[in-house]
Amino acid sequence: MCGTCGCNITPGNAHLIPPRGEAGTVVEVLQDLLAGNDRMALHNREHFDAHGVLVINLMSSPGAGKTSLLEATIVALRDRYRIAVIEGDLETDNDAARIRAHGIPAVQITTGTACHLDAHLVHGALHQLPLTGLDLLFIENVGNLVCPASFDLGQHLNVTLLSVTEGDDKPAKYPVIFRASDLVVLSKTDLLDVLDDFDPARAAAALRALGGGTPMVRTAVRRAPALGSWLDWLEQELARPRAVLRSSSSRLAAAAASGA
Amino acid sequence: MHELSICQALLSQVTDIASGHGASLVERIIIEIGPLSGVEPTLVAQAFAFARAGSCAAEAILSIETTAVTIRCMGCGAQSVTTPSRLLCGVCGGYRTQITAGDELRLRRVELRAPELQPAASATA
């Protein structure tokens, strides 16, 4: 067996290993490993709810078009809603600069080598971002379909982008993040006519197989802009009474809170 | 990836438990990781080997128990064991399902070395 960390001790062979401290103490814990993160996420969510701001965690692989979607959304909605953005990237404040160019407050979190945002990083960013008067806060997570799914930030809703330049089986390959999504945005659909290997029906079927009935909308922001379904969904969420937000936390948060 | 963050969170919890029980050394840590937790058990084991250095768990064995993905159908009520990429009811095919097991990322148990045994134990370790 591996003598370094015991990584191949299984329920089947664990009884063969003698305890090293005869009179040691066994402590039953049953606590989520991310309990510290979840406590901070709850704190963030209370902060958001106190200000009546709807918070959306935007996730995708790198280059799926999160920042471009945000820019187009800001242009479409800024006359009616006050919007702010928290940007997460390993390096550079390029994305925050793109958002600020639209006259919208944006705070950049650079994570260095960390592949995801966590609730503490978001809490730190909130100290630089007044929430008073805001209607909508987007948190653009680090481009990554794996790690962001494990960390609750305190958001109300998770939105995951799937661009048509990726494989249409992405939901099957990354079930954790897609199952945790409240909405999946099929982005760059203006490229569909030149990409004959991406079948939106196959992507929808892979998403359906994850259960939960997560809706999927199509967007395009370049050649033939199409944002209608996405903006309809956003406005519907913005129109929900803020008191409801308190109890209708995102699926990711609900899963964390249940301790499941 | 994020397995190192997970190990740091784990060690922080274990350190609190050990000091709460007056123990300075941890013998064994047992955690549960489900396929839908988004965390890879093998990578956690590798990251733990680095993360534990200098902590009260520097000599601890990490045992990882994996769980099966189990869902409950909110339509027909059936429980089924399934795979991470297919979370539909195994009986009626319904999509309104609840994950009842398989997304765990949980510290189950910590075994502490009794304080009076520490000098002898560390001499023979």
Side-chain angles (χ1 to χ4, degrees), chain A residues 4-6 20-21 23-33 147 150 172 175 179 208-213 259-260, chain B residues 2 5 9 13 27 36-37 45 52 59 61-62 84-88 95 97 103 105-112 114:
Chain A
T4 308
C5 66
R20 286 195 285 177
T25 311
V26 175
V27 185
E28 298 293 337
V29 189
L30 287 180
Q31 178 169 259
D32 274 9
L33 290 188
C147 313
S150 298
R179 168 79 189 199
R208 261 200 312 278
L210 299 182
Chain B
H2 61 314
S5 316
Q13 287 184 19
E27 291 277 358
L36 284 173
S37 66
R52 66 180 178 170
E59 297 174 36
I61 289 172
L62 178 69
S85 61
R86 187 167 177 84
L87 302 174
L88 303 176
Y95 68 88
T97 56
D103 59 354
L105 184 57
R106 192 157 55 192
L107 173 58
R108 179 191 278 190
R109 191 184 305 141
V110 180
E111 297 177 10
L112 305 168

Side-chain angles (χ1 to χ4, degrees), chain A residues 91-221:
Chain A
E91 290 294 344
T92 84
D93 69 345
N94 294 354
D95 286 358
R98 279 170 65 180
I99 300 297
R100 282 190 212 113
H102 294 276
I104 295 293
V107 177
Q108 180 77 49
I109 301 173
T110 47
T111 60
T113 56
C115 48
H116 59 274
L117 292 179
D118 65 26
H120 292 85
L121 287 171
V122 169
H123 186 253
L126 291 179
H127 288 147
Q128 304 164 50
L129 186 72
L131 293 178
T132 307
L134 280 187
D135 298 305
L136 181 57
L137 171 65
F138 287 106
I139 303 173
E140 184 184 329
N141 218 311
V142 177
N144 179 345
L145 285 177
V146 183
C147 313
S150 298
F151 293 85
D152 184 12
L153 308 177
Q155 75 280 4
H156 299 109
L157 296 163
N158 286 320
V159 173
T160 304
L161 271 69
L162 168 58
S163 66
V164 301
T165 53
E166 303 170 55
D168 51 25
D169 57 352
K170 276 280 156 73
K173 285 182 173 170
Y174 299 89
V176 178
I177 201 162
F178 283 99
R179 168 79 189 199
S181 301
D182 297 284
L183 178 77
V184 171
V185 171
L186 196 63
S187 62
K188 309 188 186 179
T189 53
D190 47 349
L191 296 177
L192 272 174
D193 52 356
V194 292
L195 294 168
D196 52 8
D197 53 349
F198 189 101
D199 180 356
R202 270 204 302 266
L207 181 62
R208 261 200 312 278
L210 299 182
T214 306
M216 183 157 82
V217 297
R218 297 184 182 201
T219 62
V221 299

Side-chain angles (χ1 to χ4, degrees), chain B residues 53-124:
Chain B
S55 76
C56 62
E59 297 174 36
I61 289 172
L62 178 69
S63 302
I64 300 176
E65 297 182 356
T66 53
T67 55
V69 178
T70 311
I71 53 172
R72 193 177 67 83
C73 179
M74 285 145 82
C76 75
Q79 290 256 15
S80 33
V81 176
T82 182
T83 58
S85 61
R86 187 167 177 84
L87 302 174
L88 303 176
C89 176
V91 176
C92 74
Y95 68 88
R96 288 173 54 245
T97 56
Q98 194 180 17
I99 296 163
T100 55
D103 59 354
E104 298 84 355
L105 184 57
R106 192 157 55 192
L107 173 58
R108 179 191 278 190
R109 191 184 305 141
V110 180
E111 297 177 10
L112 305 168
R113 193 175 300 182
E116 65 275 16
L117 292 178
Q118 278 170 22
S122 54
T124 56

